[in-house]
Amino acid sequence: MRLTKPNWDFPVQVNQAGIGIINLFTSDLYEFLDSSLSKLFGVNWATTFPQDFPNKPTSNFRDPSILLKDLGRKITPSLRLPINAKVAPDQYTRFYNLLDDIHGERHLWVHQEIEPTKKNLFALVKLILAVATILNLPVKSECEMLVNEVNEI
């Protein structure tokens, strides 16, 4: 397990669990994209990527905020290719809205603009779990562990 259960009596631990689950999610999402895009465009795809916008500088897609913002707002459409291969076309809008919601949640958790409670962490985990399940990301196991922990309380 890559994440430990927080002590619910310590808000700082709940906050760190929220940030941790977001970071695990974006790391797994990047690995999912990297695996597919490396096969399509080569291992250096991030630097030799087909430029959807020729004047756009190379982005650091390992940065959680950049990755989520780019995917949610379709800044680099080619980045969506691996996801679009797994998500039904009639579900694209819903799926990318979920990613945009996760991006917004990331901002709230990282900048401590949300109360670190079981309820808020559970809402975040459910949001991440919805996307992780569709893409079969490893972070599903950490999400399920936290869901089970919250359900036991």
Side-chain angles (χ1 to χ4, degrees):
M1 197 60 53
R2 301 175 294 170
L3 185 76
T4 60
K5 299 173 188 175
N7 180 328
W8 302 108
D9 295 326
F10 293 96
V12 70
Q13 286 190 24
V14 178
N15 181 273
Q16 289 304 307
I19 293 170
I21 199 75
I22 292 166
N23 285 337
L24 288 173
F25 168 73
T26 55
S27 176
D28 290 351
L29 179 59
Y30 176 83
E31 294 303 321
F32 167 79
L33 295 170
D34 182 55
S35 174
S36 182
L37 293 172
S38 291
K39 292 173 189 167
L40 287 171
F41 303 114
V43 292
N44 295 320
W45 63 268
T47 55
T48 61
F49 211 44
Q51 293 296 313
D52 296 307
F53 302 99
N55 296 328
K56 181 180 173 270
T58 303
S59 295
N60 176 12
F61 294 118
R62 288 186 184 272
D63 180 305
S65 184
I66 291 171
L67 179 63
L68 292 170
K69 182 178 181 179
D70 199 300
L71 286 168
R73 298 179 187 172
K74 199 175 181 179
I75 295 169
T76 310
S78 300
L79 189 62
R80 289 182 168 199
L81 291 172
I83 293 171
N84 291 350
K86 285 206 144 208
V87 176
D90 65 334
Q91 293 297 310
Y92 287 169
T93 300
R94 178 183 170 276
F95 183 86
Y96 289 108
N97 284 343
L98 287 172
L99 282 179
D100 208 30
D101 289 347
I102 293 170
H103 181 241
E105 286 290 315
R106 181 213 163 269
H107 178 87
L108 295 175
W109 284 88
V110 167
H111 297 285
Q112 298 186 23
E113 295 176 5
I114 192 166
E115 188 178 352
T117 63
K118 286 181 255 186
K119 179 182 173 185
N120 288 335
L121 182 60
F122 185 63
L124 172 66
V125 168
K126 282 181 25 181
L127 185 61
I128 290 172
L129 186 56
V131 173
T133 299
I134 293 168
L135 299 180
N136 197 31
L137 299 178
V139 73
K140 282 181 4 183
S141 61
E142 285 85 7
C143 288
E144 290 165 351
M145 177 267 299
L146 286 172
V147 167
N148 290 337
E149 175 71 12
V150 170
N151 287 337
E152 290 175 7
I153 295 173

